[in-house]
Amino acid sequence: MAIPVAVLDCDLLLYGCGHRTLERFKLEDVTDEDLVSIFGFPRQFIYYLVDLLGASLSRPTQRSRAISPETQILAALGFYTSGSFQTRMGDAIGISQASTSRCVANVTEALVERASQFIHFPEDEAAVQSLKDDFCGLAGMPGVLGVVACTHVAIKAPNAEDLLYVNRKGLHSLNCLMVCDARGVLLSAETHWPGSLPDCTVLQNAALTSQFETKLHKDGWLLGDSSFLLRTWLMTPLHIPETPAEYRYNMAHSATHNVIERMFRTIRSRFRCLDGSKGSLQYSPEKSSHIILACCVLHNISLEHGLDAWSSLVTEHMEQLEEEYEQMESVDSEACRIRQELLLTHFS
């Protein structure tokens, strides 16, 4: 009797009965060296992800050869860290490219569902004060709750609203607004903004702005570069510093804000699917946004597990776009007063 094609696993069709079956694959079969070189992370980190995501990845199925959570996670990590489905991981875990793509989708959604668990501002007073102390220890800038910047990630041309995603260099991209702390831990990540939008416009419409405008985060401010407007909760550098205090303020601002540029380099070097070396993300803007956010979640989890060595690598393919903008001083008199008070109190 003919077996309906619908019930056959594509890996069985591709590899045949003689290929290693999914049921026989065990994480223990992969050496520590291969785990790091192929999948980018050590064994205990992967075990943690299996515990964290296992329930979401073990969905009921009528197929007798459902892919295990361990295999799905390894397949996704292999893609995130290499930027390609064509890696040695196929030999290591024995699944097809089509199955790998499904694994990436499943793991990505499971991580996105947990984004708020791992990416958020601290809430209790002690943690907030520790955040400020860490920043102040870098270059003497007080009251800092986070540093904010945008970065572009290349995507394929979408089927609709194509021009909305074309950045000033003529490439299709997503403009991602992020905030991190002094260690590079992400406190906010909005990864869905079209590449044509300037950084200032992204921030103006971001959920992050709503949080600070409604005083959700009090008694402090973010640091942003001159692509953003000065606000009561966002300190920017002075366009033309004149006094010694203004020069000291700008130097402290620059040294502190540099943390997020280092964080961007770390994420791109760890998650090569984002750096453009294998080409743009070959997904819709929505799915690409989810992949970026999933990598952000993994970045924070890795820091939580002590994998926090800063990367000094500068990727060649995913060039950071520098905004072309007119330097604008804020018309917000209260914001100007706060910055001037900061100058007089801490940098005079």
Side-chain angles (χ1 to χ4, degrees):
M1 183 177 78
I3 301 175
V5 174
V7 303
L8 291 175
D9 186 277
C10 64
D11 298 299
L12 186 60
L13 288 171
L14 181 62
Y15 295 119
C17 294
H19 194 271
R20 184 196 311 211
T21 63
L22 300 178
E23 291 82 3
R24 290 179 56 192
F25 169 76
K26 300 293 183 184
L27 183 56
E28 293 80 2
D29 294 341
V30 187
T31 66
D32 292 336
E33 292 76 12
D34 280 345
L35 285 175
V36 174
S37 66
I38 302 175
F39 306 106
F41 292 96
R43 187 177 304 276
Q44 291 306 314
F45 180 86
I46 296 170
Y47 280 137
Y48 174 81
L49 292 181
V50 172
D51 290 339
L52 177 69
L53 307 177
S56 297
L57 300 176
S58 301
R59 297 184 176 92
T61 176
Q62 293 181 346
R63 292 162 50 193
S64 61
R65 304 179 74 250
I67 301 176
S68 69
E70 291 92 337
T71 304
Q72 293 183 61
I73 288 168
L74 288 179
L77 290 178
F79 170 72
Y80 297 147
T81 58
S82 73
S84 173
F85 292 122
Q86 305 296 332
T87 68
R88 288 181 293 155
M89 64 184 174
D91 293 332
I93 60 180
I95 63 173
S96 68
Q97 181 172 326
S99 289
T100 299
S101 182
R102 291 198 300 273
C103 292
V104 170
N106 292 341
V107 174
T108 296
E109 292 311 304
L111 287 168
V112 167
E113 289 172 0
R114 292 161 176 79
S116 61
Q117 177 182 346
F118 294 99
I119 303 175
H120 57 81
F121 283 88
E123 296 180 358
D124 65 275
E125 291 185 11
V128 171
Q129 187 58 50
S130 177
L131 190 66
K132 293 178 182 179
D133 292 343
D134 288 344
F135 274 118
C136 193
L138 294 178
M141 182 70 76
V144 180
L145 297 172
V147 289
V148 58
C150 287
T151 188
H152 286 254
V153 176
I155 63 171
K156 73 172 184 177
N159 295 327
E161 300 179 319
D162 174 83
L163 293 179
L164 190 59
Y165 293 89
V166 178
N167 60 44
R168 69 173 184 83
K169 290 198 170 183
L171 304 174
H172 293 86
S173 68
L174 290 169
N175 194 2
C176 305
L177 178 73
M178 300 187 189
V179 180
C180 75
D181 70 9
R183 291 198 306 121
V185 175
L186 283 159
L187 306 175
S188 177
E190 299 184 34
T191 59
H192 62 283
W193 297 101
S196 67
L197 297 182
D199 294 357
C200 190
T201 303
V202 169
L203 181 62
Q204 181 179 343
N205 294 280
L208 178 70
T209 294
S210 297
Q211 293 177 18
F212 277 86
E213 293 286 0
T214 57
K215 308 296 184 183
L216 182 61
H217 307 293
K218 301 178 181 179
D219 303 323
W221 41 71
L222 302 178
L223 295 189
D225 62 23
S226 296
S227 62
F228 302 124
L229 282 172
L230 178 69
R231 300 169 184 256
T232 56
W233 50 268
L234 177 64
M235 294 293 103
T236 59
L238 288 138
H239 177 30
I240 304 177
E242 296 178 347
T243 68
E246 290 176 346
Y247 277 103
R248 285 192 289 269
Y249 166 84
N250 270 14
M251 290 178 64
H253 188 291
S254 177
T256 307
H257 190 266
N258 186 55
V259 168
I260 199 165
E261 300 302 330
R262 296 170 66 197
M263 185 275 294
F264 286 152
R265 290 197 295 271
T266 296
I267 285 184
R268 290 196 195 99
S269 63
R270 175 169 280 162
F271 302 106
R272 302 307 294 264
C273 68
L274 306 182
D275 77 351
S277 63
K278 301 294 184 180
S280 58
L281 285 174
Q282 297 298 300
Y283 296 91
S284 68
E286 181 181 8
K287 290 184 178 179
S288 295
S289 170
H290 285 183
I291 288 174
I292 300 167
L293 185 55
C295 290
C296 290
V297 173
L298 287 173
H299 168 76
N300 274 12
I301 296 175
S302 69
L303 294 181
E304 192 176 279
H305 282 72
L307 307 176
D308 56 356
W310 286 105
S311 171
S312 60
L313 298 177
V314 179
T315 54
E316 298 177 358
H317 297 275
M318 189 55 211
E319 182 180 351
Q320 176 66 16
L321 296 176
E322 296 180 1
E323 290 289 335
E324 292 180 347
Y325 51 84
E326 293 184 18
Q327 286 276 0
M328 299 175 292
E329 285 297 330
S330 174
V331 295
D332 187 333
S333 59
E334 179 63 12
C336 292
R337 185 195 65 77
I338 290 174
R339 185 169 66 180
Q340 188 62 27
E341 183 178 324
L342 179 59
L343 278 163
L344 294 174
T345 305
H346 294 280
F347 296 98
S348 293

